[in-house]
Amino acid sequence: MRPILLQGHERALTQIKYNRDGDIIFSTAKDQHICAWFAHNGERLGTYHGHQGALWTVDVDPTSTLIASGAADNTVRLWEIRSGKCLKVWEFNTAVKRVEFNEDGSQLLAVTEKRMGFLGTIEVMDINLDPEAEQSDEKVLTITCEESKATVAGWSYLSKYIIAGHEDGTVSQYDAKTGEQLDNTQIHEPDMPITDLQWSADRTYFITASKDKTAKLINVQDLEVMKTYVADTPLNSASITPKKDFVILGGGQDAMGVTQTDARQGKFEARFYHKVFAEEIGRVRGHFGPLNSVAVDPTGKSYASGGEDGYVRVHQFDKGYFDFTYEVERQAKAQGQM
Amino acid sequence: MAPSFDHLPDPEDEDYDEDEELDFSDLRERFEVQLEQGLDAFVVIDGLPSVTEETKPKLIKFLKRKLDPVGRVKEDSIFMPLGPDGTSEKFAFVEFSSAAEALAACKQLDMVPLDKRHTLRVNKLTDIERFGREGRIDENYTPPTIPPFEEKEHLRSWLADPSGRGRDQFVMYKDDRVQIFWNNEKDAPEPIVDRQHWTETFVQWSPQGTYLTSMHAQGVQLWGGPSWTRQKRFAHPFVNLVDFSPGEKYLTTWSHRPIVIPEEGHPMLSVDDDGKNYVIWDIETGKPLRSFANLDLPSNTTDEAGQPVKRKIVWPAFKWSADDKYVARLTQGASISVYELPRMGLLDKTSIKIEGVMDFDWAPAVPHREGVKTYEQLFCYWTPEIGSNPAKVGLMSIPSKEVVRTLNLFSVTDAKLHWQSNADYLCVKVDRHSKSKKSLATSLEIFRVREKGVPVEVVDAIKETVINFAWEPKGDRFVIITTAEVVAPTAVPPKTSVSFYCPEKVKGAGVGNFKHIRTYDKKNSNAIYWSPKGRFVIVATVHSQQSFDMEFFDLDFEGEKPESDKDLTANLQLMNTADHYGVTDIDWDPTGRFVATSASIWKHAMENGYHLYDFKGEQLREEPVEKFKQWLWRPRPPTLLTKEEQKQIRKNLREYSKVFDQEDADRGASADLAVVEHRRRLLDEWLAWRAQIEEEVKQEREARGLPLDPIEDLIKRDDDEEDQVIEEIVEEIVEETEEIIG
């Protein structure tokens, strides 16, 4: 796999997102602008300027019309992808660490930071996917995290639940309509923050990454841990691959500790695990800082990783990747189970 | 009864007595009996002969002479009451001038024989009061109950590996857990026992693997048997270090804090052990044999501020002879004290005076000197140049204390003693300085202990300084590491060279002269690890920041032998090199089949964990372990097979190999099968769950009247406008040629 190196950011990457068709990559970094790239050749489509603080998060709606972004300037902004126009600004009390559209793009959630006397919250806004339309100011739902602030959150299938990962290693399940907390489970080691939460294609299960050096595959209905992937380094991101039953984990020693050791120490590699067998399959080297975000093309053709080193590396999967199967998988396929 | 507020006398009352107001405190002070204070200086002496009025003064005079060294006693302060029949009651009260003297008398005079039939028993009067008061002692004798015999667990059961594969055990200490495993080569080790807080500082195996030692503030505990129960404990408070005798009979414990025996006593130690640092214990009985204080030597070096530099503790301070019969301690510069076990008395009641003695070491096996039939143990020692006398290396035979060989040496700065494991050879590594004392060179003086008269062979002077030396266990070859200069520890360690030596071939029996085989230059290596069975050796760089290489050598390579080595008893071959980032420790398993290399958090916090190699240097496993501290293979006791039986096995090795190979193959196949089976189950479970959840979601969508794909609909709406086809025509000139026609 020969990577395409996307050199557009000047500071550490914070999140990477593919659109639904897998042809555009959106990336955010601490340098205050969002970049959009063509996935197949790495050409820059454009940038979105306007935020006044480090960007933490970006998401694209399922129709690839709009993107939403959250930043340390306490705002969530909505942009038209095509024109780069900022359509709407929502103000919050604290920085926004995560935004996500629900499955039909009708709602957007934003996770706000706990700071300056404000508790961490999850806010929900209604979205009109028509770029010409007026967006509502109103926050239709506010979930306040009393116990431990949410670090990541997302929508389940049918926009039925909002799932949040917390700083204390727990995962919560909220009713997406009422905001009522339905469940809260200690998934990762206590007081090891959950750093990422990404969905399967049909949003019936998700993967969490944590500083406790594991990633876990969780059933959305009862928050049951179905698989655990053990790594030897703190993890910042985890993603589920479509088409193939793999997961990709990214992490590495904390940026603060990196200078104390040499590159081989940092373990700045993307790790591939088999989703079902939870066995490590391979690693991809390249970054020279921890991986902050990994994202997989929803069509399953490529994946991208963004590092503390300020680069995005896009890897097109090759034949070997698609051909790799376990014997039991081949047998199951032959029997028509898969 | 003291007057309380309720009973305060009322002056209006009729029977109010003014006298009650009188102050008696002055009188009370004067006449009150100071119970404890006064009697503390008294002792009671029992076990005296019976005397009459006439012979009494004679006995008192005699007693006084005995007591005088402890404290001055006046004749009239010895009180010997006479019974109604005019004879004494065989005891006496003695008053000393202070409680301290009385205490000293109890310590020093108790159990001292007076004559053949009488032994003094000296006790403090207050103790007799305290312990012997009426009611404290039962008048009727009750025989002590002897607990019924309980069968102990088999302490060597681990030698019969339940899987029948002769695997070895190892202990791993990480974070606060101690875990013991069976080594499974490539596969994950099989856990045997896992306990949290099993030890406080470190763990240690006994030399034959019978016990696992755990260290606690209260003392040392030994564990063993199939269920890992506590076998023994030795309550040495604040113990720091522990050392076993080679036969596992005795144990030395040491603490930097002198023992303090509290007022109420100590369950195992006695008042005599107060202020001591070392305790030597009998493992079988669990009782202390003798305790010793630290030897505080005036150190002859001072630091920059002129303060004497604290000498590093030499461990083990008490060195054991190979058969557990003797233990000896060095008093540097003066003498060696050899104690006989199990009495722990000094051999011939005196230390062996050796002027200037710097170091000594016991032969690690019972020596076999030619022509010596009687029992002996040997130790070697060396003394530096004193005045015009040369430096000396000596071999002393115990118990005869006869010096069987000495060697004079000149210009010696330092010497190190290296015994070969069978006590066949002793190599003395002598660092010599030139006349100007500017440069150093090393020579190796090898004593051939087995041969008549113990001849000494000098291995040609090595120009460089030897920083490490190691004999092949049970063999006659050795490896040295040399460096051009020894400088103070710097960031970049100096380059080193590794040299191999072996005896040359001779006709007939006997061992030829030691010859140099080969030298590998420009290395960083600093450590030598021989396989416990000999032949294979690892030369490695440990505790380094830059390099972590390990080289696996074979000294009996079965391939072609270079022409230059044809007269040597070795065929040296570098088999493999390996690299373990941050390696701090290397440990061969007791059979010499596997090597564990580990990076311990005690030294640094980077990539802690272990690697496992086979003897050829092929890596079998690699596992990072959080907060990894220690890896120790469980030692094995010496084999019970005779030489002939071992020879027989070696002869039939091919047959055994066949069986073992078959077993390995079968196990591998079944393990693979199990893995495949496990995967199949996982996959089936997963597919079943997917089928179920997909169906559920589908139904739920239908129930809500939503389309099956939430997005398709949205996109269709978007794509109402016709697709726009963008055509891009790219013209590329492949080749351009110009031809001039005409």
Side-chain angles (χ1 to χ4, degrees), chain B residues 45 145 279 312 366 430 625 681:
Chain B
I45 301 178
T145 48
V279 182
K312 271 194 185 160
V366 178
V430 186
V625 181
R681 213 182 59 242

Side-chain angles (χ1 to χ4, degrees), chain B residues 204-395:
Chain B
Q204 187 174 329
W205 291 106
S206 62
Q208 301 192 2
T210 314
Y211 304 107
L212 180 73
T213 318
S214 66
M215 309 293 292
H216 309 268
Q218 297 86 348
V220 174
Q221 302 194 85
L222 303 189
W223 307 79
S227 56
W228 294 98
T229 45
R230 183 171 55 222
Q231 302 297 330
K232 286 282 168 327
R233 55 177 158 188
F234 304 98
H236 184 163
F238 307 108
V239 59
N240 294 108
L241 289 169
V242 55
D243 180 44
F244 285 86
S245 71
E248 298 185 342
K249 273 191 180 150
Y250 308 105
L251 181 80
T252 317
T253 55
W254 174 77
S255 168
H256 72 279
R257 293 201 217 180
I259 294 169
V260 178
I261 302 292
E263 267 297 304
E264 64 274 14
H266 184 274
M268 281 170 132
L269 301 170
S270 67
V271 197
D272 294 345
D273 301 318
D274 200 271
K276 304 293 178 65
N277 299 82
Y278 296 91
V279 182
I280 293 179
W281 308 78
D282 185 319
I283 292 181
E284 198 44 56
T285 63
K287 298 231 161 63
L289 292 176
R290 192 165 171 177
S291 56
F292 298 89
N294 272 352
L295 281 177
D296 272 325
L297 284 177
S299 125
N300 40 16
T301 44
T302 51
D303 64 9
E304 284 147 21
Q307 295 292 315
V309 176
K310 276 226 164 168
R311 218 178 264 272
K312 271 194 185 160
I313 155 127
V314 183
W315 188 258
F318 285 86
K319 295 183 182 174
W320 296 92
S321 70
D323 59 356
D324 287 12
K325 282 231 173 87
Y326 302 101
V327 65
R329 173 160 78 159
L330 172 80
T331 307
Q332 208 175 48
S335 63
I336 296 170
S337 310
V338 180
Y339 301 90
E340 271 180 295
L341 272 303
R343 249 179 4 93
M344 274 312 287
L346 267 176
L347 180 67
D348 302 337
K349 302 212 168 113
T350 61
S351 296
I352 302 163
K353 299 263 179 301
I354 304 168
E355 202 193 351
V357 60
M358 292 298 284
D359 195 11
F360 82 105
D361 211 352
W362 287 99
V366 178
H368 301 280
R369 281 194 297 141
E370 199 178 296
V372 179
K373 293 278 186 309
T374 49
Y375 167 84
E376 66 165 1
Q377 290 290 332
L378 285 179
F379 69 74
C380 61
Y381 60 89
W382 75 279
T383 58
E385 285 160 277
I386 303 167
S388 58
N389 291 331
K392 271 191 186 121
V393 177
L395 268 182

Side-chain angles (χ1 to χ4, degrees), chain B residues 502-507 512-517 561-571:
Chain B
C502 73
E504 64 182 346
K505 277 184 189 157
V506 284
K507 282 193 184 109
N513 290 337
F514 289 99
K515 286 279 183 253
H516 173 244
I517 311 173
K561 198 169 179 178
E563 187 59 25
S564 56
D565 292 353
K566 69 176 177 4
D567 292 332
L568 300 176
T569 54
N571 187 9

